[in-house]
Amino acid sequence: MAPSGSRSVDCWRVLYWIPVLFISLIVAWSYYAYVVQLCIDTIENMGEKIVYLLVYHVLFIMFVWTYWQTIFTKPMNPLKEFHLSHSDKELLEREDRRESQQEILRRIAKDLPIYTSTMSGAIRYCDHCLLLKPDRCHHCSACDMCILKMDHHCPWVNNCVGFANYKFFMLFLAYSLLYCLFITATDLQYFIQFWTNGLPDTQAKFHIMFLFFAASMFSVSLAFLFAYHCWLVCKNRSTLEAFRAPTFQHGPDKNGFSLGTSKNFRQVFGDEKKYWLLPVFSSLGDGCSFPTCLVNADPEQPSSPSGRNPSVKSAGESHQFPPKPLRDSQSRLLNNGQSEGSEDRDKRGTSNPALTIEKET
């Protein structure tokens, strides 16, 4: 028999699907109301009916496809190199002092592409997953795992939005907004006829009325949410980073990962334009390492707030890690800006200055 504790956890996980079920029922009703009640039973012009049905089904398919991808795309696990070995785990467990634990974590992290720390300057470590957190990675209590480039946990998709499905989430917002706007625009004239008694007194008139109210209200909320995430993509920030800036060696900096609008966009949607509008994974990188404007200067990006090279610190102030080469995923993105400048920009991002992690006070 399964322990009672595991059964209660399974019950809670079933409850997490209630928002998804609610959205699914709303979408199923909207399909019936628009296709059957509006297009088939109400609209008399055959040309108008065919055009509406064609456009509607294209938007409906893309909306459902992106929603499905956002829900069922599993978060990627951090690479093995970020996980502690068995000997390192035992060594860490034997140490009681936090300072000694940090020295062990610094030794392990010295060869990893980690450029952020906690607010106090400590190595970011997850006690639950027993790994060094890659940059932009956070532990989600709902998913009970570390999520690469975590944006937020969304109850409406019962999944974490992060590196693995952020593009799908953006497309889901875009197509759901277009879906609602299309319904609102095409249903408007029949909604007006409802109030002027221009529609026959059938059940279709009530579906048409509620369909307009639902689509218009969802359009407003989705427009604000989509605009906000477009701004985040252009700034190369996650929702978590917008509220709490990642901490680099010179201090917190919300623009630390921003490489300019075009490169920020390509980091999420990829280089090949044919995949931009399709819910097919095309994001650049591995989710564990990201190029930063603090390591590789970019003409599109202002200088760091400190006004100096962040890697320059006195020996008495910090521990300095050896230089680390950029990963292929980083160099590919940084060397990809052919249309934005001269060929000199292609030579950037080949090496990385030393990473400095400050001592805890």
Side-chain angles (χ1 to χ4, degrees), residues 24 101 171 206 212 230 300 361:
S24 301
Q101 292 177 343
L171 291 177
F206 296 102
F212 179 83
C230 285
E300 299 181 39
T361 56

Side-chain angles (χ1 to χ4, degrees), residues 116-176:
T116 58
S117 63
T118 65
M119 292 293 291
S120 62
I123 298 292
R124 299 172 66 244
Y125 175 73
C126 180
D127 295 317
H128 299 280
C129 302
L130 300 178
L131 58 81
L132 296 174
K133 293 182 182 179
D135 291 339
R136 317 183 82 175
C137 175
H138 298 274
H139 186 87
C140 175
S141 57
C143 297
D144 194 27
M145 65 180 297
C146 282
I147 307 297
L148 296 178
K149 195 187 176 184
M150 180 176 175
D151 188 88
H152 69 287
H153 183 88
C154 182
W156 299 108
V157 300
N158 190 29
N159 197 4
C160 258
V161 177
F163 176 76
N165 62 351
Y166 189 67
K167 177 192 173 183
F168 305 150
F169 178 73
M170 287 294 298
L171 291 177
F172 161 63
L173 293 180
Y175 285 117
S176 58

Side-chain angles (χ1 to χ4, degrees), residues 117-350:
S117 63
T118 65
M119 292 293 291
S120 62
I123 298 292
R124 299 172 66 244
Y125 175 73
C126 180
D127 295 317
H128 299 280
C129 302
L130 300 178
L131 58 81
L132 296 174
K133 293 182 182 179
D135 291 339
R136 317 183 82 175
C137 175
H138 298 274
H139 186 87
C140 175
S141 57
C143 297
D144 194 27
M145 65 180 297
C146 282
I147 307 297
L148 296 178
K149 195 187 176 184
M150 180 176 175
D151 188 88
H152 69 287
H153 183 88
C154 182
W156 299 108
V157 300
N158 190 29
N159 197 4
C160 258
V161 177
F163 176 76
N165 62 351
Y166 189 67
K167 177 192 173 183
F168 305 150
F169 178 73
M170 287 294 298
L171 291 177
F172 161 63
L173 293 180
Y175 285 117
S176 58
L177 177 59
L178 290 174
Y179 178 77
C180 292
L181 288 175
F182 177 77
I183 291 177
T184 302
T186 54
D187 188 37
L188 177 60
Q189 59 175 316
Y190 302 97
F191 175 76
I192 295 174
Q193 292 179 26
F194 170 82
W195 293 105
T196 57
N197 296 321
L199 291 179
D201 191 14
T202 62
Q203 65 172 353
K205 64 189 300 185
F206 296 102
H207 285 283
I208 291 171
M209 180 186 69
F210 289 115
L211 184 64
F212 179 83
F213 278 127
S216 58
M217 286 189 296
F218 276 110
S219 295
V220 174
S221 59
L222 285 169
F224 281 106
L225 185 60
F226 180 64
Y228 175 68
H229 278 277
C230 285
W231 177 79
L232 290 178
V233 169
C234 293
K235 295 293 184 181
N236 204 343
R237 298 177 195 169
S238 65
T239 299
L240 294 178
E241 291 166 352
F243 285 96
R244 177 178 291 182
T247 302
F248 296 85
Q249 52 200 26
H250 71 278
D253 189 348
K254 289 185 177 182
N255 294 318
F257 292 106
S258 182
L259 306 173
T261 302
S262 60
K263 291 181 181 179
N264 294 341
F265 178 87
R266 290 203 304 273
Q267 198 172 90
V268 175
F269 287 88
D271 290 327
E272 300 193 43
K273 297 180 180 179
K274 61 183 178 181
Y275 296 128
W276 284 358
L277 299 180
L278 297 176
V280 177
F281 184 81
S282 59
S283 301
L284 300 182
D286 54 16
C288 290
S289 59
F290 299 90
T292 74
C293 67
L294 307 173
V295 173
N296 300 273
D298 193 291
E300 299 181 39
Q301 192 62 37
S303 60
S304 63
S306 59
R308 58 182 175 84
N309 189 333
S311 64
V312 178
K313 278 182 177 282
S314 63
E317 291 179 327
S318 62
H319 293 286
Q320 203 169 56
F321 291 166
K324 309 171 199 174
L326 281 179
R327 297 178 172 225
D328 293 339
S329 60
Q330 295 178 329
S331 299
R332 178 187 173 192
L333 180 63
L334 289 170
N335 295 335
N336 219 356
Q338 299 290 340
S339 61
E340 299 172 2
S342 65
E343 294 181 356
D344 294 339
R345 224 181 285 184
D346 294 337
K347 299 178 182 179
R348 295 190 183 126
T350 56

